[in-house]
Amino acid sequence: MKELSVIVVVADGLGDRPVPSLGMKTPLELVDFSSVADVVSKSAVGLWDPIQPGIRPGSDTAHLALFGVNPLNNYPGRGPFEAIGAGATLKPGDLAFRGNFATVNSDLIVVDRRAGRKILEAKQLVEYLNGNIGEIDGVKVEIYHTTEHRVAVVFRGEDLSDAVSDTDPHTEGVRVLEAAPLASSESAARTARVVNAFTKRVHELLRDYLVNTRKSERDLPPANIVLLRGAGKMVRYPKLQERRELKIERSVAISATALVKGVCTLLGFEAVTPEGATGGVDSDLIAKARVAVDYYRRGYDLIYIHVKGTDSASHDGNPSAKIAVIEKLLKAVSYLVDRVDLEKTVIAVLGDHTTPVMVRDHTSDPVPVMIYAPGIMADGFTKLSEREARRGSLGRLRNTELFGILMDYSSRAEKFGA
Ligand code: ZN
Ligand code: ZN
């Protein structure tokens, strides 16, 4: 059997629920599918639960499952992935926390867990801390700003442990907690000491920082400490090209989103961001399709295109923006379909999870999926939506099953048994 190329196109947060202002239709149901109706009619459609029914996926866990790694057994917690989403490159063994800028009084009692939430100087504060913390007992510390008062903090050094408790008391009016070892190992004890030294050092640095002084003068709560929670130690993922049950040598992920590029890199993809791809609703999606065709012609086995605008529009609660991004995405799919050999290519179009515009956050609803492959038993729909997907022949797939099916249709999966 000759292996086929696989192209996977994900509209982030694609799935949705009926929207009252759309006459109880979903954004996807109102999308014009005429540019891709032919390839949809030759595809099988169905639903995919990225993790399992009832579990709300993050984009990180959904992408692990999409590419064949069950996140339920292989997830180090949000700390490391928050850091990756903020632009960190993590290695196995790195320890990462989620963190908050917060306000404490002189007795280290937490007055505001979010230091007023909108911290205009957050980027400056992070730069200042990164430039001044240095190493703590041989451990390198890196802070990454994510949004508002939120940061991710990475500790890099020998033999760190994630068996340490939070310094964030998760409530106000009490003292900042000392990190304590949660295991009897020397590495947990040392890690707790490093974390406590970090807290002390950050507080000293921020206390007198000019920006904060100014901020206090304006009667805003000063960001004068970083509270840590959810220690997680980066794990090592098997790269696609190392997985002996798969025949994949070269794969590329085309995305402008740091979290997605980070996850894909961990899994062995090359990650590229074409010029014009912004990660927002204004992203140039034809530019992504053009790069995809380029890698296709260079003989890459697995080509992944990620589009973030659908999720951004959903978090904003904006159904018309979501519809517009999906239509733009379909034009990019149509561009691809016109330029690949459909006798030698498997194409999947799906969401990584559902982000209903009425909920403005990720939910566990399964996402619609379509798979085109030469010789597949097609369902004959001319469009894809949450409603069509419920009647499709793929049924309801879960977790890594979808990846297995793509590997099988492209003749890249080993046989199980004799
Ligand atoms: Zn996502
Ligand atoms: Zn989202």
Side-chain angles (χ1 to χ4, degrees):
M1 282 188 295
K2 178 82 186 86
E3 293 100 38
L4 309 183
S5 306
V6 182
I7 300 177
V8 176
V9 181
V10 160
D12 205 299
L14 176 70
D16 216 303
R17 293 176 180 171
V19 180
S21 68
L22 302 180
M24 299 315 278
K25 293 205 179 307
T26 69
L28 193 51
E29 286 187 283
L30 293 180
V31 161
D32 175 9
F33 266 81
S34 53
S35 62
V36 291
D38 187 52
V39 70
V40 176
S41 72
K42 294 173 183 158
S43 301
V45 310
L47 293 168
W48 177 50
D49 288 291
I51 317 289
Q52 67 183 44
I55 295 190
R56 298 168 52 218
S59 288
D60 48 1
T61 47
H63 276 78
L64 288 171
L66 172 59
F67 296 119
V69 174
N70 182 350
L72 292 173
N73 310 331
N74 297 282
Y75 192 65
R78 273 177 69 178
F81 282 94
E82 293 269 352
I84 289 168
T89 305
L90 292 193
K91 299 181 192 69
D94 288 350
L95 180 70
F97 291 80
R98 299 163 71 199
N100 277 6
F101 277 116
T103 307
V104 291
N105 68 14
S106 53
D107 297 322
L108 291 186
I109 307 288
V110 178
V111 181
D112 186 336
R113 258 191 86 234
R114 299 179 180 85
R117 189 181 282 271
K118 290 245 180 296
I119 304 171
L120 302 173
E121 303 91 345
K123 283 254 178 292
Q124 276 167 271
L125 291 178
V126 165
E127 259 175 50
Y128 169 68
L129 291 174
N130 281 333
N132 288 282
I133 291 178
E135 291 197 351
I136 300 174
D137 189 19
V139 176
K140 226 174 149 295
V141 182
E142 290 168 8
I143 307 177
Y144 293 85
H145 180 234
T146 58
T147 54
E148 298 182 321
H149 54 285
R150 300 178 195 92
V151 294
V153 181
V154 178
F155 293 84
R156 180 169 296 146
E158 293 286 300
D159 197 27
L160 295 171
S161 169
D162 55 5
V164 288
S165 62
D166 299 351
T167 62
D168 185 346
H170 297 268
T171 179
E172 290 166 358
V174 297
R175 204 163 186 280
V176 175
L177 300 176
E178 294 261 316
L182 301 174
S184 56
S185 64
E186 171 48 31
S187 110
R190 172 173 169 255
T191 305
R193 284 197 299 274
V194 169
V195 169
N196 290 325
F198 164 85
T199 303
K200 190 160 172 280
R201 182 110 182 87
V202 166
H203 181 52
E204 285 164 1
L205 284 167
L206 290 178
R207 203 169 39 192
D208 308 317
Y209 187 55
L210 183 69
V211 176
N212 271 302
T213 315
R214 256 199 347 251
K215 208 173 171 192
S216 304
E217 281 169 8
R218 295 199 310 258
D219 283 336
L220 292 168
N224 59 10
I225 204 156
V226 172
L227 305 175
L228 300 179
R229 65 189 192 281
K233 197 166 157 179
M234 195 60 218
V235 295
R236 179 166 157 64
Y237 289 104
K239 296 194 189 306
L240 291 164
Q241 55 271 33
E242 296 165 358
R243 294 178 56 178
R244 284 166 56 195
E245 74 280 19
L246 303 176
K247 285 182 232 160
I248 293 193
E249 290 300 323
R250 293 191 298 171
S251 48
V252 63
I254 302 162
S255 170
T257 304
L259 179 63
V260 168
K261 289 172 76 176
V263 173
C264 289
T265 304
L266 291 171
L267 298 178
F269 285 83
E270 292 169 36
V272 295
T273 304
E275 207 165 315
T278 63
V281 293
D282 60 342
S283 192
D284 183 350
L285 304 187
I286 293 291
K288 287 187 178 172
R290 215 180 283 127
V291 170
V293 169
D294 184 40
Y295 279 91
Y296 177 85
R297 290 182 178 150
R298 288 162 62 188
Y300 274 60
D301 304 327
L302 172 59
I303 295 156
Y304 174 51
I305 301 178
H306 170 254
V307 171
K308 183 70 183 169
T310 31
D311 192 54
S312 313
S314 309
H315 283 286
D316 289 344
N318 187 340
S320 53
K322 188 167 185 175
I323 291 169
V325 177
I326 301 170
E327 288 186 342
K328 206 157 70 154
L329 169 82
L330 293 185
K331 292 213 175 76
V333 172
S334 157
Y335 177 98
L336 270 173
V337 167
D338 288 346
R339 284 162 182 80
V340 302
D341 183 346
L342 289 179
E343 290 303 311
K344 296 176 181 167
T345 312
V346 174
I347 302 171
V349 180
L350 67 153
D352 62 340
H353 49 76
T354 294
T355 312
V357 291
M358 299 303 291
V359 180
R360 296 184 175 210
D361 206 344
H362 305 185
T363 64
S364 71
D365 312 40
V367 296
V369 181
M370 62 161 259
I371 299 175
Y372 165 81
I376 198 167
M377 180 77 76
D379 290 334
F381 294 116
T382 50
K383 57 181 297 198
L384 176 70
S385 78
E386 295 81 354
R387 228 172 287 267
E388 268 85 19
R390 277 160 173 74
R391 296 186 285 122
S393 60
L394 290 175
R396 187 161 175 167
L397 307 168
R398 185 182 287 203
N399 205 313
T400 58
E401 291 173 353
L402 173 64
F403 187 67
I405 289 170
L406 296 176
M407 291 300 99
D408 185 14
Y409 273 114
S410 59
S411 308
R412 294 182 181 277
E414 281 293 334
K415 182 159 53 180
F416 175 61

